Amino acid sequence: MGSPAPPVPLDPVREALTRVRGEDPHDVEALIGRILTYIHFVLPDPPVSCRATLRARRPHDDVDRLSALPVTLLRNIVSRLPGKDAARTAVLATRWRGLWRSVPLVLVDSHLLNPGSAAASGDQVARAEARRVTATVSRVLAAHPGPFRCVHLTCSYMAEFPSLLVRWFQTLSAKGVQDLVLLL
């Protein structure tokens, strides 16, 4: 089952147009929310999860077993991590520094939501939070040389940024996206 990512509320222009048509914007938002819930239900799950944990040490053991693995295996591991976690591996050790930039990355924008945000609890994504995620996606797309193993963009707010969306498509095409799920 696809992971639910709530919709962004109506922007002021669409809200005003809804009122002009004699409709209640809250009813329209609720309808859009139901439709998007159905869409999210049928979306494929991303190949990575933020709920998984990775441990390299046994209790009471200071031996770093992960860094002892061959580079090929390390690259495979990093390519299966959520994008944020893959980038964080660069601080583990000198050997890990360039790994995240050299592996096919998985980028799931809902993984970039703040854990304390309303969206994390199933409420609507606040416009400011969606803009923050959109900006982060842009930075990741610019920073990673590709390819992208999987990109799921389901909670970025693109209504205000159509030229940015075009740039994202160009970047993903140039850097070799293998699996793309996009919900506008």
Side-chain angles (χ1 to χ4, degrees), residues 43-48 104-108 147-153 172 175-182:
L43 287 177
D45 286 330
V48 297
L105 188 67
V106 175
L107 176 60
V108 180
F148 288 89
R149 195 177 93 171
C150 176
V151 177
H152 278 228
L153 303 173
L172 289 168
K175 293 184 178 184
V177 65
Q178 297 169 5
D179 180 20
L180 176 64
V181 174
L182 177 68

Side-chain angles (χ1 to χ4, degrees), residues 1-19:
M1 170 169 53
S3 59
V8 175
L10 291 178
D11 61 76
V13 173
R14 287 197 177 95
E15 185 175 334
L17 288 173
T18 302
R19 289 186 195 284

Side-chain angles (χ1 to χ4, degrees), residues 6-177:
V8 175
L10 291 178
D11 61 76
V13 173
R14 287 197 177 95
E15 185 175 334
L17 288 173
T18 302
R19 289 186 195 284
V20 167
R21 290 190 309 232
E23 299 172 2
D24 181 357
H26 297 299
D27 291 343
V28 173
E29 284 178 355
L31 176 62
I32 292 170
R34 284 193 303 276
I35 292 169
L36 287 174
T37 297
Y38 295 128
I39 291 171
H40 280 276
F41 182 75
V42 298
L43 287 177
D45 286 330
V48 297
S49 170
C50 287
R51 294 182 301 269
T53 58
L54 181 62
R55 298 186 199 276
R57 296 185 175 146
R58 295 179 183 160
H60 311 294
D61 183 1
D62 287 336
V63 177
D64 178 4
R65 291 177 185 1
L66 277 180
S67 290
L69 295 173
V71 171
T72 305
L73 191 51
L74 289 176
R75 288 177 47 119
N76 195 329
I77 290 169
V78 172
S79 76
R80 295 174 190 282
L81 293 173
K84 194 177 351 180
D85 293 335
R88 287 178 180 162
T89 62
V91 300
L92 294 176
T94 306
R95 186 170 183 221
W96 290 75
R97 220 165 261 147
L99 275 178
W100 88 272
R101 290 178 48 85
S102 69
V103 301
L105 188 67
V106 175
L107 176 60
V108 180
D109 64 355
S110 62
H111 292 171
L112 302 172
L113 293 169
N114 286 327
S117 72
S121 64
D123 295 332
Q124 287 186 330
V125 176
R127 190 170 279 113
E129 176 75 353
R131 285 187 186 125
R132 186 193 61 74
V133 169
T134 300
T136 303
V137 167
S138 291
R139 284 193 303 276
V140 171
L141 291 176
H144 196 279
F148 288 89
R149 195 177 93 171
C150 176
V151 177
H152 278 228
L153 303 173
T154 60
C155 66
S156 297
Y157 185 62
M158 299 311 299
E160 295 176 0
F161 309 107
S163 62
L164 180 59
L165 184 61
V166 169
R167 197 170 25 214
W168 282 5
F169 280 133
Q170 291 168 339
T171 299
L172 289 168
S173 175
K175 293 184 178 184
V177 65

